[in-house]
Amino acid sequence: MAFLLPNLSPSFLLQTGKSLKEKPISTHSLSVSSSSSSSSYNFEEDSLSLLSLPVQAPPAPGAQVKTMPSGQDKQQQQGKDEFYINLGLAIRTLREDLPLLFTKDLNYDIYRDDITLVDPVNTFSGIENYKLIFWALRFHGKILFRDISLEIFRVWQPSENMILIRWNLKGVPRVPWEAKGEFQGTSRYKLDRNGKIYEHKVDNLVFNFPHQLKPAISVLDLVTASPNPTFMFGSSYSSSWIEFYQAVRRTLDKQQEQILMQDRFVICS
């Protein structure tokens, strides 16, 4: 190269530079190459976007597939919700009402109109009789006792549609020859599918009076067959508790007689 450069003439160098300047640069190849590269790049982007889509595997055999709930399913769910709401309301109401049984009336919104009260001796049906029973308990309780109250020991549910309450009833009779007495029992409340109470059963009565008494299955176990009921131990004497029960029973009997008289009067007229 060192030998050739000095031998080149200036005219040859000028012609060579001119030809290089005048020769146009072809952009076709560049555009083609650029377009091909861009198209290949777009193809790669599309392929990557397709690969990035989530792929759902088919459900396994026996797997539960989520479906939209039907109208019947919604109604069943609403019925269950209503039951549990009314169940909670019933438990809360019973907890609040029973300790104040002898001072204020109950909240009857948790009961059905055809509610049945069952004790070891009698059965009463209808919400009006149910209201009358608790009115008689308050009325005669104030007459026969200086102090009477009910205490809740336990509240539990042996099954979904039943509420059990273990309680203790104690009182101080007004007569001076009777000491304070008390007895325990269980109230079983049965609920329908709407969470309303349709049966109230009183059982498992255990009496705890000053004198020694055996556990009783019913009130009649403590009463003799004589016209004047007395307790069944050594010396017989009348009790305010028996009078209390009989007074409530007479109130209901009078109510039934009045209803029968009204029905007869309507029939005759």
Side-chain angles (χ1 to χ4, degrees), residues 148-161:
I148 185 169
S149 62
L150 186 140
E151 179 184 3
I152 293 178
F153 282 164
R154 184 186 175 194
V155 180
W156 75 101
Q157 280 190 266
S159 61
E160 191 176 57
N161 62 340

Side-chain angles (χ1 to χ4, degrees), residues 71-83 85:
Q72 185 177 2
D73 294 337
K74 290 181 179 179
Q75 290 180 356
Q76 291 179 353
Q77 185 61 38
Q78 290 177 357
K80 289 182 179 179
D81 294 342
E82 182 182 3
F83 171 81
I85 291 173

